Amino acid sequence: ETAVFQTPNYHVTQVGNEVSFNCKQTLGHDTMYWYKQDSKKLLKIMFSYNNKQLIVNETVPRRFSPQSSDKAHLNLRIKSVEPEDSAVYLCASSSDWGSQDTQYFGPGTRLLVL
Amino acid sequence: SQWGEENLQALSIQEGEDVTMNCSYKTYTTVVQWYRQKSGKGPAQLILIRSNEREKRSGRLRATLDTSSQSSSLSITGTLATDTAVYFCATDDQGGSAKLIFGEGTKLTVSS
Protein backbone atom coordinates (compact mmCIF):
# COMPACT_ATOMS: atom_id res chain seq x y z
CA GLU A 1 0.00 0.00 0.00
CA THR A 2 1.61 3.23 -1.18
CA ALA A 3 1.67 5.92 1.45
CA VAL A 4 4.52 8.03 0.15
CA PHE A 5 3.64 9.76 -3.08
CA GLN A 6 6.03 11.37 -5.52
CA THR A 7 5.45 13.46 -8.61
CA PRO A 8 6.42 13.40 -11.38
CA ASN A 9 7.34 9.79 -12.09
CA TYR A 10 9.72 10.78 -14.82
CA HIS A 11 11.20 14.06 -16.02
CA VAL A 12 13.42 14.89 -18.98
CA THR A 13 15.04 18.30 -19.15
CA GLN A 14 17.93 20.25 -20.60
CA VAL A 15 21.10 21.29 -18.82
CA GLY A 16 20.63 24.55 -16.95
CA ASN A 17 16.89 24.22 -16.40
CA GLU A 18 15.21 24.30 -13.02
CA VAL A 19 13.20 21.31 -11.84
CA SER A 20 11.08 20.64 -8.81
CA PHE A 21 9.96 17.31 -7.39
CA ASN A 22 7.14 16.81 -4.95
CA CYS A 23 6.72 14.35 -2.12
CA LYS A 24 3.80 13.77 0.20
CA GLN A 25 3.36 11.17 2.92
CA THR A 26 0.05 10.17 4.47
CA LEU A 27 1.52 8.14 7.33
CA GLY A 28 1.55 10.94 9.88
CA HIS A 29 5.33 10.66 10.20
CA ASP A 30 7.53 13.39 11.64
CA THR A 31 10.62 12.73 9.50
CA MET A 32 11.12 12.88 5.75
CA TYR A 33 14.13 12.24 3.54
CA TRP A 34 15.45 12.74 0.04
CA TYR A 35 17.84 10.17 -1.41
CA LYS A 36 19.64 10.06 -4.73
CA GLN A 37 20.02 6.67 -6.39
CA ASP A 38 22.57 6.38 -9.17
CA SER A 39 22.72 3.98 -12.08
CA LYS A 40 24.50 1.39 -9.92
CA LYS A 41 21.59 1.51 -7.45
CA LEU A 42 23.67 3.20 -4.77
CA LEU A 43 21.44 5.12 -2.35
CA LYS A 44 22.84 8.32 -0.90
CA ILE A 45 20.97 10.48 1.59
CA MET A 46 20.75 14.13 0.59
CA PHE A 47 18.48 15.80 3.14
CA SER A 48 16.33 14.96 6.09
CA TYR A 49 13.68 16.98 7.90
CA ASN A 50 12.26 16.24 11.32
CA ASN A 51 9.20 18.23 12.36
CA LYS A 52 9.90 20.65 9.52
CA GLN A 53 13.45 21.25 10.73
CA LEU A 54 16.43 20.39 8.54
CA ILE A 55 18.54 17.86 10.43
CA VAL A 56 20.64 16.28 7.70
CA ASN A 57 22.18 18.25 4.91
CA GLU A 58 24.75 16.15 3.15
CA THR A 59 27.43 17.55 0.95
CA VAL A 60 25.39 18.15 -2.15
CA PRO A 61 25.79 20.95 -4.71
CA ARG A 62 24.15 24.21 -3.71
CA ARG A 63 21.80 24.01 -6.67
CA PHE A 64 19.85 21.42 -4.66
CA SER A 65 17.42 22.78 -2.08
CA PRO A 66 14.73 21.04 -0.04
CA GLN A 67 11.45 22.77 0.73
CA SER A 68 9.18 21.72 3.57
CA SER A 69 5.78 23.36 3.96
CA ASP A 70 4.53 20.99 6.64
CA LYS A 71 5.43 17.61 8.12
CA ALA A 72 3.65 15.75 5.33
CA HIS A 73 5.38 17.44 2.41
CA LEU A 74 9.01 17.67 1.39
CA ASN A 75 9.86 18.96 -2.06
CA LEU A 76 13.20 19.09 -3.81
CA ARG A 77 14.28 21.82 -6.16
CA ILE A 78 17.28 21.73 -8.45
CA LYS A 79 18.10 25.21 -9.63
CA SER A 80 20.25 24.55 -12.69
CA VAL A 81 20.51 20.89 -13.56
CA GLU A 82 23.74 19.27 -14.70
CA PRO A 83 24.17 15.97 -16.59
CA GLU A 84 25.42 14.26 -13.41
CA ASP A 85 22.05 14.99 -11.78
CA SER A 86 20.49 12.26 -13.90
CA ALA A 87 19.36 9.72 -11.34
CA VAL A 88 16.35 8.45 -9.45
CA TYR A 89 15.33 10.68 -6.55
CA LEU A 90 13.63 8.81 -3.75
CA CYS A 91 11.58 10.35 -0.98
CA ALA A 92 11.04 8.50 2.28
CA SER A 93 9.49 9.04 5.67
CA SER A 94 9.78 7.52 9.14
CA SER A 95 7.88 8.01 12.34
CA ASP A 96 10.86 9.59 14.05
CA TRP A 97 14.46 10.44 13.37
CA GLY A 98 17.07 7.74 13.82
CA SER A 99 18.40 4.52 12.41
CA GLN A 100 16.02 2.43 14.53
CA ASP A 101 12.97 3.49 12.55
CA THR A 102 11.65 1.90 9.39
CA GLN A 103 11.81 4.16 6.39
CA TYR A 104 8.94 4.09 3.92
CA PHE A 105 9.89 5.02 0.39
CA GLY A 106 7.98 6.48 -2.48
CA PRO A 107 8.31 5.07 -6.00
CA GLY A 108 10.89 7.66 -7.01
CA THR A 109 11.25 10.36 -9.64
CA ARG A 110 13.55 9.49 -12.50
CA LEU A 111 15.40 12.51 -13.85
CA LEU A 112 17.16 12.54 -17.19
CA VAL A 113 19.26 15.58 -18.04
CA LEU A 114 20.13 15.96 -21.70
CA SER B 1 32.93 4.95 4.02
CA GLN B 2 30.86 2.62 6.15
CA TRP B 3 31.04 -0.01 3.46
CA GLY B 4 33.63 -1.86 1.45
CA GLU B 5 34.38 -1.15 -2.13
CA GLU B 6 32.31 -3.89 -3.77
CA ASN B 7 30.09 -3.06 -6.76
CA LEU B 8 26.49 -4.15 -7.11
CA GLN B 9 26.66 -7.93 -6.81
CA ALA B 10 24.43 -10.11 -8.91
CA LEU B 11 23.00 -13.53 -8.12
CA SER B 12 20.92 -15.68 -10.47
CA ILE B 13 19.09 -18.74 -9.16
CA GLN B 14 16.15 -20.97 -9.98
CA GLU B 15 12.80 -20.74 -8.28
CA GLY B 16 12.64 -22.96 -5.23
CA GLU B 17 16.31 -22.61 -4.35
CA ASP B 18 17.48 -21.02 -1.13
CA VAL B 19 19.78 -18.01 -1.20
CA THR B 20 21.88 -16.08 1.29
CA MET B 21 23.09 -12.53 0.80
CA ASN B 22 25.83 -11.07 2.93
CA CYS B 23 27.02 -7.65 3.86
CA SER B 24 29.77 -6.37 6.06
CA TYR B 25 30.22 -3.00 7.69
CA LYS B 26 33.24 -1.18 8.99
CA THR B 27 32.12 0.42 12.23
CA TYR B 28 29.85 -0.40 15.12
CA THR B 29 26.12 -0.34 14.46
CA THR B 30 23.11 -0.58 16.74
CA VAL B 31 20.86 -1.93 14.01
CA VAL B 32 20.87 -3.53 10.58
CA GLN B 33 17.89 -3.05 8.34
CA TRP B 34 17.33 -5.11 5.20
CA TYR B 35 15.40 -3.58 2.32
CA ARG B 36 14.20 -4.91 -1.00
CA GLN B 37 13.70 -2.81 -4.10
CA LYS B 38 11.73 -4.17 -7.02
CA SER B 39 12.06 -2.72 -10.47
CA GLY B 40 10.44 0.69 -10.75
CA LYS B 41 9.60 0.86 -7.05
CA GLY B 42 11.14 2.36 -3.95
CA PRO B 43 12.88 0.16 -1.35
CA ALA B 44 10.70 -1.59 1.21
CA GLN B 45 11.92 -2.82 4.55
CA LEU B 46 12.01 -6.59 5.10
CA ILE B 47 13.64 -7.05 8.49
CA LEU B 48 15.19 -4.93 11.21
CA ILE B 49 17.68 -6.68 13.49
CA ARG B 50 19.23 -4.98 16.49
CA SER B 51 22.77 -5.38 17.82
CA ASN B 52 21.55 -7.45 20.78
CA GLU B 53 19.87 -9.96 18.44
CA ARG B 54 21.71 -12.70 16.58
CA GLU B 55 18.86 -13.83 14.38
CA LYS B 56 15.44 -12.69 13.26
CA ARG B 57 12.88 -14.43 11.10
CA SER B 58 9.93 -13.25 9.07
CA GLY B 59 8.15 -15.84 6.94
CA ARG B 60 10.67 -17.17 4.41
CA LEU B 61 13.25 -14.60 5.46
CA ARG B 62 15.97 -15.00 8.06
CA ALA B 63 18.44 -12.31 9.03
CA THR B 64 21.53 -12.79 11.15
CA LEU B 65 23.85 -10.32 12.75
CA ASP B 66 27.37 -11.00 13.98
CA THR B 67 28.67 -7.90 15.68
CA SER B 68 32.07 -9.46 16.33
CA SER B 69 32.74 -9.88 12.61
CA GLN B 70 30.66 -6.82 11.71
CA SER B 71 28.56 -8.74 9.22
CA SER B 72 24.94 -9.53 8.55
CA SER B 73 23.17 -11.95 6.26
CA LEU B 74 19.73 -12.31 4.76
CA SER B 75 18.51 -15.74 3.73
CA ILE B 76 15.45 -16.52 1.65
CA THR B 77 14.16 -20.07 1.58
CA GLY B 78 12.13 -21.47 -1.28
CA THR B 79 12.62 -18.46 -3.52
CA LEU B 80 9.92 -17.31 -5.90
CA ALA B 81 10.21 -15.37 -9.12
CA THR B 82 8.62 -12.47 -7.25
CA ASP B 83 11.69 -12.32 -4.99
CA THR B 84 13.59 -10.86 -7.95
CA ALA B 85 14.83 -7.49 -6.71
CA VAL B 86 17.82 -5.58 -5.41
CA TYR B 87 18.46 -6.22 -1.72
CA PHE B 88 20.14 -3.67 0.51
CA CYS B 89 21.37 -3.71 4.04
CA ALA B 90 21.63 -0.49 5.99
CA THR B 91 23.34 0.43 9.23
CA ASP B 92 23.84 3.33 11.58
CA ASP B 93 26.15 6.15 10.72
CA GLN B 94 28.34 6.30 13.78
CA GLY B 95 29.44 9.78 12.86
CA GLY B 96 26.81 10.94 15.31
CA SER B 97 23.89 11.87 13.09
CA ALA B 98 22.11 8.51 13.54
CA LYS B 99 21.22 8.44 9.87
CA LEU B 100 20.86 5.18 7.99
CA ILE B 101 23.64 4.28 5.57
CA PHE B 102 22.73 1.92 2.75
CA GLY B 103 25.12 -0.67 1.37
CA GLU B 104 25.66 -1.21 -2.31
CA GLY B 105 23.04 -3.89 -2.79
CA THR B 106 22.75 -7.35 -4.27
CA LYS B 107 20.74 -7.88 -7.43
CA LEU B 108 18.88 -11.17 -7.13
CA THR B 109 17.24 -12.75 -10.17
CA VAL B 110 14.99 -15.75 -9.59
CA SER B 111 14.03 -17.62 -12.73
CA SER B 112 10.89 -19.73 -12.94
Side-chain angles (χ1 to χ4, degrees), chain A residues 34-46 64 83-90 105 108-111, chain B residues 6-9 37 40-41 43 86 88 102-105 107:
Chain A
W34 276 107
Y35 287 86
K36 180 180 180 181
Q37 186 171 43
D38 65 19
S39 58
K40 294 185 178 180
K41 300 294 186 183
L42 191 61
L43 271 166
K44 294 278 193 183
I45 190 168
M46 301 175 69
F64 288 85
E84 60 264 30
D85 298 337
S86 295
V88 176
Y89 292 86
L90 288 157
F105 285 81
T109 293
R110 184 176 298 275
L111 173 67
Chain B
E6 60 267 36
N7 295 318
L8 179 66
Q9 294 184 330
Q37 184 177 23
K41 308 279 187 181
V86 177
F88 298 95
F102 284 81
E104 296 189 350
K107 183 176 181 180

Side-chain angles (χ1 to χ4, degrees), chain B residues 50-69:
Chain B
R50 303 184 195 282
S51 58
N52 61 351
E53 300 174 304
R54 295 186 66 82
E55 177 182 299
K56 199 157 189 181
R57 294 178 183 265
S58 175
R60 296 182 293 112
L61 305 177
R62 173 177 170 260
T64 66
L65 178 57
D66 184 345
T67 54
S68 62
S69 63

Side-chain angles (χ1 to χ4, degrees), chain B residues 4-103:
Chain B
E5 298 300 318
E6 60 267 36
N7 295 318
L8 179 66
Q9 294 184 330
L11 293 174
S12 293
I13 60 175
Q14 294 293 314
E15 203 170 38
E17 292 182 21
D18 299 343
V19 67
T20 296
M21 290 165 280
N22 300 297
C23 70
S24 59
Y25 52 93
K26 290 184 176 179
T27 60
Y28 174 78
T29 187
T30 62
V31 67
V32 174
Q33 297 195 34
W34 282 91
Y35 285 79
R36 175 174 67 188
Q37 184 177 23
K38 295 192 174 184
S39 180
K41 308 279 187 181
Q45 191 204 60
L46 298 174
I47 285 183
L48 184 153
I49 183 166
R50 303 184 195 282
S51 58
N52 61 351
E53 300 174 304
R54 295 186 66 82
E55 177 182 299
K56 199 157 189 181
R57 294 178 183 265
S58 175
R60 296 182 293 112
L61 305 177
R62 173 177 170 260
T64 66
L65 178 57
D66 184 345
T67 54
S68 62
S69 63
Q70 295 181 167
S71 63
S72 180
S73 71
L74 177 72
S75 299
I76 308 175
T77 56
T79 55
L80 305 169
T82 52
D83 293 325
T84 294
V86 177
Y87 291 79
F88 298 95
C89 55
T91 61
D92 285 339
D93 168 29
Q94 290 304 302
S97 67
K99 65 189 176 189
L100 210 56
I101 303 296
F102 284 81

Side-chain angles (χ1 to χ4, degrees), chain A residues 12-81:
Chain A
V12 182
T13 190
Q14 304 283 337
V15 169
N17 285 349
E18 177 175 316
V19 299
S20 189
F21 305 147
N22 301 310
C23 179
K24 171 187 173 182
Q25 54 95 2
T26 59
L27 297 165
H29 287 167
D30 286 341
T31 306
M32 294 186 72
Y33 311 81
W34 276 107
Y35 287 86
K36 180 180 180 181
Q37 186 171 43
D38 65 19
S39 58
K40 294 185 178 180
K41 300 294 186 183
L42 191 61
L43 271 166
K44 294 278 193 183
I45 190 168
M46 301 175 69
F47 303 102
S48 179
Y49 271 73
N50 180 255
N51 282 314
K52 292 171 53 181
Q53 297 296 315
L54 181 65
I55 53 172
V56 171
N57 185 359
E58 291 297 291
T59 306
V60 298
R62 293 179 66 180
R63 60 181 180 274
F64 288 85
S65 60
Q67 297 165 322
S68 176
S69 56
D70 56 50
K71 289 196 299 183
H73 295 83
L74 183 63
N75 299 332
L76 180 68
R77 186 179 76 162
I78 313 175
K79 212 168 182 181
S80 177
V81 296

